[in-house]
Amino acid sequence: MTADTATNLDEAIIRSAESTADLIKRAREAVHGVIFGQEAVVDGALITLLSGGHGLLVGVPGLAKTKLVETLGVVLGLDAKRVQFTPDLMPSDILGTEVLDASETGKRSFRFVRGPVFAQLLMADEINRASPRTQSALLQAMQEYHITVAGERHDLPKPFHVLATQNPLEQEGTYPLPEAQLDRFLMQIDVPYPDREDEKRILLFTTGAEETPARPAMSVADLLGAQRLVRRLPVGESVVEAILTLVRSARPGETPDLAGKIAWGPGPRASQALMLAVRARALVQGRFSPSIDDVVALAEPVLKHRMALSFAARADGESIEGVIGRLARKLG
């Protein structure tokens, strides 16, 4: 590649990044027209989608997790569907099933009826309430982007994203996701309580005669273009090294002062997730290249569901958040 070609390519990326950043800014504003406050949660969801991944939203009931997913579907122009997970939900309730049809001549044939997984944005509400069999059917689709029914392959729409929710309070009658399946979520986004001013706005704007509807700000083509751009944004060597240092330090035996405290840690998929997420975060904030600050900011949501502490560490009062925070502060 000649110097002139490289320069033209860089200029093309910059122009694309500028227009995409403007679209993302409008999308953020449109989401916040419906979702008050929760900036970190909204940004986390946008970063997840821009990275082409799936997100796990964790929070108590009533914090607008469902409303957020519905709003994102409208704002980003996606075909969005919702499934309420329950213990009796079957894989066919999500994937679809074959039905027997009879023609006017009496000839019988099977016809595949698509399930709600055939959406561009699927909300899996309280995913830990479904049986492992149903969870694995969805999580396989998340990984492979296609399903197989009666020996026939059916490709899922593009893009295909899952935003799943979990209630951290009630564990009776639930089936916690196995570690290997948690790893398929790009980020775990914790949804906190709103602060006082935001809750006041919620009271005033959601209990009147009319509510503000979400308005489209991007199209499917815009989102796909943004996802391609995220993979083309340059990443400095210092950021790459910071990602490697952080992920590797979160594994057992890698950090001396955490000896015996980490039961198991993140694999290479965590590094891949961080590499995409830091680029997407830079774009969300109007920058064209990520920094170490992006790595530090995304360390917890990318790593916390990909590692666990030992019993001794938990007995000493350690927490995953605290451990990740200590490792991330060493990067700065």
Side-chain angles (χ1 to χ4, degrees):
M1 182 184 295
T2 65
D4 289 341
T5 303
T7 301
N8 292 336
L9 181 59
D10 290 342
E11 290 177 353
I13 292 176
I14 291 173
R15 287 196 300 270
S16 178
E18 288 174 344
S19 60
T20 301
D22 185 58
L23 283 172
I24 294 171
K25 181 181 178 181
R26 294 208 303 265
R28 288 177 77 192
E29 292 172 351
V31 172
H32 282 298
V34 179
I35 305 296
F36 303 121
Q38 303 286 26
E39 284 82 4
V41 176
V42 172
D43 284 355
L46 284 173
I47 290 167
T48 299
L49 298 181
L50 291 169
S51 301
H54 312 289
L56 184 63
L57 298 167
V58 179
V60 300
L63 296 181
K65 298 186 295 295
T66 302
K67 189 70 172 178
L68 172 61
V69 180
E70 291 175 353
T71 302
L72 285 170
V74 174
V75 169
L76 301 178
L78 300 174
D79 173 28
K81 294 180 182 176
R82 174 176 178 253
V83 177
Q84 182 68 47
F85 277 57
T86 57
D88 60 346
L89 195 72
M90 299 296 292
S92 59
D93 296 327
I94 299 173
L95 305 181
T97 187
E98 287 197 321
V99 297
L100 185 62
D101 279 348
S103 65
E104 295 179 355
T105 61
K107 183 180 179 180
R108 296 183 177 183
S109 61
F110 284 100
R111 175 173 57 89
F112 179 64
V113 179
R114 294 183 169 190
V117 75
F118 288 88
Q120 294 168 324
L121 179 61
L122 177 66
M123 180 176 188
D125 210 351
E126 294 194 282
I127 189 173
N128 57 330
R129 293 205 174 277
S131 67
R133 181 182 178 188
T134 302
Q135 291 175 358
S136 63
L138 173 63
L139 292 162
Q140 182 182 7
M142 291 166 54
Q143 182 68 20
E144 305 296 337
Y145 294 94
H146 70 262
I147 65 170
T148 302
V149 177
E152 292 292 326
R153 170 173 167 155
H154 302 273
D155 292 327
L156 297 175
K158 292 183 180 181
F160 172 68
H161 301 284
V162 173
L163 291 179
T165 70
Q166 280 193 169
N167 176 359
L169 297 180
E170 298 179 46
Q171 298 305 317
E172 186 175 350
T174 64
Y175 303 86
L177 293 174
E179 291 78 8
Q181 295 180 354
L182 280 172
D183 193 36
R184 296 179 185 179
F185 289 97
L186 185 93
M187 293 202 303
Q188 176 178 321
I189 305 167
D190 291 336
V191 185
Y193 291 107
D195 62 30
R196 186 179 182 90
E197 287 303 313
D198 289 332
E199 190 161 0
K200 182 178 180 179
R201 293 176 65 199
I202 293 170
L203 286 174
L204 295 175
F205 285 93
T206 63
T207 59
E210 296 182 2
E211 289 190 30
T212 304
R215 52 184 176 82
M218 293 177 66
S219 65
V220 173
D222 292 332
L223 179 59
L224 290 173
Q227 291 174 348
R228 289 191 295 268
L229 175 64
V230 164
R231 291 179 173 269
R232 297 174 65 196
L233 291 180
V235 181
E237 184 66 21
S238 62
V239 175
V240 175
E241 290 298 325
I243 290 172
L244 286 170
T245 299
L246 175 66
V247 174
R248 294 183 65 84
S249 67
R251 296 171 184 166
E254 292 287 341
T255 304
D257 60 340
L258 293 177
K261 294 186 177 183
I262 299 176
W264 56 271
R269 191 178 288 167
S271 302
Q272 295 170 324
L274 259 177
M275 181 69 88
L276 290 171
V278 295
R279 288 166 163 163
R281 185 175 189 267
L283 198 57
V284 166
Q285 296 189 351
R287 293 178 281 112
F288 306 146
S289 182
S291 67
I292 293 179
D293 289 340
D294 295 311
V295 180
V296 173
L298 293 174
E300 184 177 318
V302 171
L303 296 183
K304 71 180 301 182
H305 61 296
R306 291 184 164 100
M307 58 187 296
L309 300 182
S310 65
F311 176 79
R314 296 196 303 272
D316 290 339
E318 296 278 5
S319 66
I320 291 179
E321 295 85 354
V323 168
I324 295 174
R326 283 157 58 185
L327 296 176
R329 282 193 293 273
K330 294 180 180 180
L331 301 176

